[in-house]
Amino acid sequence: MKTFALCLVPLIAALAAQPAPVRRFQAVPLETVSETTANASIGDVNGDGIPDIVLAKGRHWPLKDVILLGDGKGHFRPGPGLPNEADRSYTGALADLDGDGDLDIVFGCDWQSDEVWWWENPYPKFEPVVPWKRHLI
């Protein structure tokens, strides 16, 4: 038994001395122009168990915010449009604000406005005819 343990010590020391493998990541563009995106929030917006991305788009000028639905393989497609006018949203967060089991979206504006609002998720219907409802906080 002592011989076996003594043989393991050099083996463990040799393995510990090996450098850790280098992880490489690949950048995946989500849109053609990113300069207007101020914030990205990640969560399962449509309830399919796959992470989605919500982009707060009003960084430099008023734009419509964007929902991107994930496919679980690192690709994203445009999701339902929020029925709002372009705004100066600067940050967004995902949380279940109304306790119904889906993620709603909270946005806040930049220095030009003191508004904070949240969009009520219409889950499970993600169709243009089923709008997200806006609530001013």
Side-chain angles (χ1 to χ4, degrees):
M1 186 65 145
K2 282 185 180 181
T3 305
F4 178 72
L6 291 175
C7 291
L8 281 179
V9 170
L11 177 63
I12 292 171
L15 290 174
Q18 297 295 319
V22 176
R23 294 185 118 187
R24 300 200 186 277
F25 295 91
Q26 178 183 358
V28 177
L30 298 175
E31 52 189 351
T32 56
V33 178
S34 63
E35 289 81 12
T36 58
T37 299
N39 175 264
S41 299
I42 300 171
D44 183 12
V45 176
N46 62 353
D48 65 357
I50 298 170
D52 306 308
I53 300 174
V54 175
L55 302 176
K57 297 291 298 171
R59 183 172 176 189
H60 295 298
W61 47 81
L63 292 169
K64 290 185 68 99
D65 302 307
V66 175
I67 297 173
L68 300 169
L69 301 176
D71 67 0
K73 298 176 184 171
H75 303 101
F76 296 85
R77 63 180 170 80
L82 296 171
N84 65 315
E85 299 295 322
D87 56 44
R88 305 265 329 200
S89 60
Y90 203 80
T91 188
L94 300 173
D96 182 10
L97 297 176
D98 53 3
D100 64 356
D102 58 35
L103 292 177
D104 305 303
I105 307 170
V106 180
F107 284 115
C109 282
D110 71 355
W111 61 273
Q112 294 185 350
S113 171
D114 60 359
E115 285 190 344
V116 176
W117 64 93
W118 68 281
W119 290 101
E120 184 177 346
N121 189 333
Y123 178 81
K125 298 184 183 298
F126 290 94
E127 304 166 14
V129 296
V130 182
W132 290 60
K133 184 177 178 185
R134 185 177 193 250
H135 303 271
L136 190 61
I137 299 174

